[in-house]
């Protein structure tokens, strides 16, 4: 399979701190059968002010590090954009954003309340030719409490990327229940590890024993065509 959400570029966000940590996780992914990784550093105006240049530069450093150690896996980079005013500015000024696949744009929001500008963002992103992908929808309280909001996002063209660790109850039972419901409704379009450290990678093995994760794997996931 292809993983499309992780934090494996050292020192750019709250993910791995060193190339050695990245190597350990990548070896674990390879042992699990992954053949391609799309890593996605945070881009947040108040915390991680990464740019396309810093992300792609660090990607080349990681690739060189892996080659030196005779580790061969396809690795690319996009970004996990936080929905804030800086992201709006980038869209309004038509600054190129880091995407994966067919211009899939991974984004996240605050976890408690639906952003007032969510619908405006979706409209602006889609008119710019992007395909918005909401990272870990099961983790947002405003969607847990009202799944009709999830349907509204789907109707507006947003795709859903669920976290594999959510199926294990790692975040909470409520998150686990919500991701199971999304699978039942067949509205999970992508799966991602959201891997920040080796424990997240190890949770993939645990998820394999979960009924709803196996159901998710039977969906027409876009992971298979990236």
């Amino acid at each position: 399979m292809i993983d499309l959400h992780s934090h494996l570029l050292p020192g750019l966000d709250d993910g791995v701190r060193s190339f050695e940590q990245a190597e350990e996780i990548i070896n674990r992914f390879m042992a699990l059968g992954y053949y391609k990784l799309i890593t996605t550093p945070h881009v947040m105006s108040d915390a991680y002010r990464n740019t396309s240049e810093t992300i792609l530069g660090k990607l080349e450093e990681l690739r060189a590090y892996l080659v030196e150690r005779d580790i061969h896996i396809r690795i690319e980079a996009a970004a996990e954009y936080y929905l804030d005013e800086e992201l709006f500015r980038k869209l309004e000024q038509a600054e190129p954003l880091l995407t994966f696949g067919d211009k899939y744009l991974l984004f996240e929001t605050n976890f408690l309340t639906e952003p007032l500008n969510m619908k405006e963002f979706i409209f602006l992103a889609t008119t710019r030719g992007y395909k918005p992908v909401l990272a870990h929808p099961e983790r947002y309280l405003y969607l847990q409490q009202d799944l009709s909001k999830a349907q509204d996002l789907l109707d507006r063209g947003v795709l859903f990327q669920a976290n594999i660790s959510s199926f294990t109850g790692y975040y909470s039972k409520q998150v686990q229940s919500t991701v199971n419901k999304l699978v039942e409704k067949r509205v999970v379009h992508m799966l991602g590890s959201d891997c920040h450290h080796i424990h997240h990678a190890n949770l993939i093995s645990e998820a394999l024993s979960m009924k709803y994760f196996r159901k998710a794997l039977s969906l027409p996931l876009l992971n298979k065509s990236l």
Side-chain angles (χ1 to χ4, degrees):
M1 190 132 119
I2 297 169
D3 188 61
L4 49 80
H5 183 176
S6 64
H7 301 269
L8 304 181
L9 298 181
L12 292 188
D13 58 14
D14 57 345
V16 300
R17 307 308 303 168
S18 67
F19 288 112
E20 289 77 15
Q21 289 180 359
E23 177 184 359
E24 180 185 19
I25 292 169
I26 289 167
N27 281 329
R28 182 66 181 135
F29 273 118
M30 294 174 68
L32 287 164
Y34 285 86
Y35 63 90
K36 179 178 178 180
L37 306 176
I38 303 171
T39 193
T40 50
H42 288 291
V43 177
M44 309 171 72
S45 61
D46 63 348
Y48 306 111
R49 299 183 65 85
N50 291 311
T51 65
S52 298
E53 291 74 23
T54 59
I55 291 171
L56 296 178
K58 187 69 72 171
L59 172 65
E60 289 307 313
E61 291 181 39
L62 177 59
R63 284 173 170 170
Y65 176 91
L66 295 174
V67 169
E68 287 177 1
R69 283 150 184 79
D70 201 30
I71 299 171
H72 301 285
I73 186 171
R74 294 171 61 190
I75 184 162
E76 300 176 1
E80 181 182 13
Y81 291 97
Y82 188 78
L83 179 48
D84 57 19
E85 291 305 314
E86 179 64 14
L87 180 56
F88 261 92
R89 186 195 65 76
K90 291 178 185 292
L91 284 170
E92 289 170 344
Q93 297 184 7
E95 290 188 18
L97 301 175
L98 288 176
T99 62
F100 59 93
D102 188 17
K103 293 198 76 173
Y104 296 119
L105 179 66
L106 187 68
F107 77 100
E108 64 175 341
T109 75
N110 79 81
F111 285 99
L112 299 179
T113 58
E114 180 181 0
L116 296 175
N117 55 5
M118 174 87 91
K119 296 177 179 60
E120 183 183 356
F121 161 75
I122 296 167
F123 176 79
L124 184 57
T126 53
T127 55
R128 290 279 191 258
Y130 295 108
K131 297 177 180 177
V133 178
L134 181 60
H136 39 65
E138 70 277 6
R139 295 183 62 192
Y140 302 112
L141 184 62
Y142 60 89
L143 295 183
Q144 294 170 12
Q145 294 176 338
D146 186 357
L147 277 181
S148 68
K149 293 181 181 294
Q151 187 58 53
D152 180 67
L153 294 176
L154 292 163
D155 292 343
R156 294 173 186 275
V158 176
L159 301 174
F160 285 173
Q161 174 262 302
N163 279 4
I164 294 172
S165 49
S166 295
F167 292 94
T168 70
Y170 171 75
Y171 300 105
S172 72
K173 289 297 182 183
Q174 183 63 43
V175 170
Q176 184 181 34
S177 174
T178 303
V179 79
N180 291 348
K181 290 175 183 176
L182 294 174
V183 170
E184 282 286 7
K185 293 177 177 292
R186 300 181 63 84
V187 294
V188 172
H189 306 97
M190 305 177 187
L191 293 173
S193 68
D194 197 2
C195 188
H196 287 66
H197 44 70
I198 189 64
H199 182 55
H200 284 157
N202 290 333
L203 283 172
I204 298 171
S205 296
E206 184 178 335
L208 287 168
S209 66
M210 301 294 172
K211 170 185 173 182
Y212 281 95
F213 180 61
R214 295 197 301 273
K215 279 190 172 186
L217 290 175
S218 71
L219 297 175
L221 300 171
L222 290 168
N223 298 64
K224 303 170 184 177
S225 60
L226 295 173

